[in-house]
């Protein structure tokens, strides 16, 4: 039996849909780039989606970076994202390994509890979370954001990684134990490297979520020195008050978007292979 894609008409429709989908994704990014190179006069004198006039205002990027402290916001986002992702991966991987390889009474109920926690809207916990973090003197600090973000990543990491650890042959653990490896040695030197596709998939999903997170960053941080990029963009618009500088605002958005795009370009194969492997396992 021939596959559906062997039909020329089906192929044309299929590729047309892919092209339209690609345009719908690329156009907003291109529009953001073009608008970041304009001044307010070009926005009001022409249509917002028109091409920018020459010379292009690349100075909008340096203006945002310097005048609105986007350099500090960018560094804060990098520190918080890397710290919370690594901590979240460590906690979720160790927990998933124990649940998958060393079942105990109540381990299934504990796993289901972790999964059930993903269904609870996080907005319900914002008020008690603020009072908890405030009582621990962890508001207005990057450490507080790292701990909160890492705790929100554990359930999803466990959900993905339990399947990876269950699929690994038990003979690998037995061989490592016969060679004298401890429990920690077996986990960190044997099992963790073998679960790399799952770790990469979970890590990238977590990076995307944390990098773009706004609500928790707004509630737990009101000191500009510790703002992340999403909060910094909102504060930038608020500082402009009655006259929004659209060019610099779009430049700030682009500064926020570009690191995520670069990361996805480098790790797209690992993301696809990790998701596929997780689905099969």
């Amino acid at each position: 039996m021939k596959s559906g894609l062997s039909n020329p008409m089906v192929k044309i429709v299929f590729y047309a849909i892919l092209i339209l989908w690609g345009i719908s994704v690329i156009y907003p990014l291109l529009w953001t780039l073009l608008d970041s190179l304009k001044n307010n006069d070009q926005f009001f004198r022409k249509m917002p989606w028109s091409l920018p006039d020459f010379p292009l205002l690349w100075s909008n990027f340096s203006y945002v970076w310097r005048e609105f402290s986007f350099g500090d916001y960018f560094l804060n986002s990098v520190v918080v994202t890397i710290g919370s992702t690594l901590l979240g991966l460590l906690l979720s991987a160790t927990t998933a390994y124990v649940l998958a390889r060393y079942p105990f009474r109540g381990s299934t109920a504990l796993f289901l509890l972790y999964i059930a926690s993903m269904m609870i809207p996080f907005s319900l916990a914002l008020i008690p979370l603020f009072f908890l973090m405030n009582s621990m003197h962890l508001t207005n600090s990057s450490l507080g954001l790292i701990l909160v973000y890492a705790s929100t990543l554990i359930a999803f990491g466990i959900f993905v990684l339990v399947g990876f650890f269950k699929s690994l042959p038990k003979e690998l653990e037995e061989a490592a134990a016969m060679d004298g490896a401890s429990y920690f040695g077996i986990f960190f030197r044997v099992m963790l490297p073998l679960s790399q596709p799952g770790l990469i998939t979970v890590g990238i999903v977590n990076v995307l979520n944390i990098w773009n997170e706004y609500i928790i960053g707004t509630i737990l941080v009101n000191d500009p020195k510790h703002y992340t990029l999403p909060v910094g963009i909102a504060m930038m618009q608020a500082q402009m008050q009655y006259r929004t500088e659209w060019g610099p605002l779009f430049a700030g958005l682009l500064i926020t978007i570009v690191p995520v795009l670069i990361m996805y370009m480098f790790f797209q194969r690992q993301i696809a292979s990790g998701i596929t492997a997780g689905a099969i396992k």
Side-chain angles (χ1 to χ4, degrees):
M1 180 182 287
K2 292 184 178 181
S3 64
L5 285 178
S6 61
N7 188 320
M9 283 303 298
V10 174
K11 243 185 211 184
I12 292 173
V13 172
F14 180 73
Y15 285 118
I17 292 173
L18 289 180
I19 291 172
L20 289 174
W21 178 262
I23 292 173
S24 68
V25 172
I26 294 173
Y27 176 73
L29 300 175
L30 182 61
W31 185 53
T32 303
L33 173 61
L34 294 176
D35 282 351
S36 68
L37 303 175
K38 299 178 182 178
N39 55 27
N40 273 10
D41 179 61
Q42 296 179 50
F43 275 97
F44 297 126
R45 181 167 46 86
K46 300 168 131 187
M47 300 299 288
W49 50 83
S50 61
L51 294 175
D53 295 338
F54 287 93
L56 302 177
L57 296 180
W58 294 102
S59 58
N60 282 339
F61 291 91
S62 60
Y63 172 72
V64 167
W65 194 268
R66 183 182 63 255
E67 297 297 328
F68 292 96
S69 303
F70 259 63
D72 296 334
Y73 302 157
F74 189 90
L75 180 60
N76 291 338
S77 285
V78 170
V79 171
V80 169
T81 301
I82 292 177
S84 53
T85 300
L86 293 179
L87 180 59
L89 281 176
L90 177 63
L91 296 176
S92 58
T94 50
T95 305
Y97 177 68
V98 172
L99 293 175
R101 311 299 290 194
Y102 300 99
F104 53 90
R105 182 178 296 179
S107 59
T108 301
L110 182 60
F111 174 71
L112 294 176
L113 182 63
Y114 277 114
I115 303 305
S117 67
M118 297 171 60
M119 306 176 189
I120 301 174
F122 193 77
S123 57
L124 298 177
L126 289 177
I127 295 176
L129 175 66
F130 171 78
F131 285 110
L132 174 64
M133 300 302 288
N134 191 48
S135 65
M136 298 172 65
H137 305 288
L138 289 174
T139 55
N140 288 322
S141 70
S142 297
L143 177 60
L145 287 177
I146 289 173
L147 294 176
V148 172
Y149 287 148
S151 66
T152 62
L153 306 177
I154 295 175
F156 174 72
I158 291 173
F159 173 71
V160 175
L161 294 175
V162 162
F164 276 90
F165 287 124
K166 281 185 177 180
S167 67
L168 298 177
K170 194 168 183 61
E171 290 77 12
L172 294 174
E173 292 172 300
E174 295 173 352
M178 291 179 63
D179 288 339
S182 63
Y183 287 112
F184 288 99
I186 294 173
F187 174 70
F188 285 105
R189 299 175 62 182
V190 179
M191 308 304 284
L192 200 61
L194 291 175
S195 63
Q196 182 180 358
L199 292 173
I200 292 176
T201 302
V202 173
I204 292 177
V205 172
N206 291 341
V207 165
L208 295 178
N209 289 333
I210 297 168
W211 186 267
N212 297 314
E213 203 286 321
Y214 171 75
I215 297 177
I216 297 175
T218 304
I219 291 175
L220 296 184
V221 176
N222 54 30
D223 185 353
K225 292 189 297 184
H226 299 288
Y227 284 164
T228 54
L229 278 173
V231 181
I233 290 175
M235 294 301 107
M236 172 184 172
Q237 189 173 16
Q239 290 173 22
M240 292 177 179
Q241 295 182 351
Y242 303 109
R243 184 179 181 275
T244 301
E245 299 179 61
W246 293 106
L249 189 59
F250 277 101
L253 287 173
L254 206 61
I255 291 173
T256 306
I257 294 171
V258 165
V260 176
L261 292 177
I262 293 175
M263 183 188 67
Y264 184 79
M265 288 171 59
F266 278 102
F267 293 102
Q268 57 179 326
R269 289 188 178 181
Q270 288 85 343
I271 296 173
S273 63
I275 293 174
T276 304
I280 293 174
K281 294 173 182 179

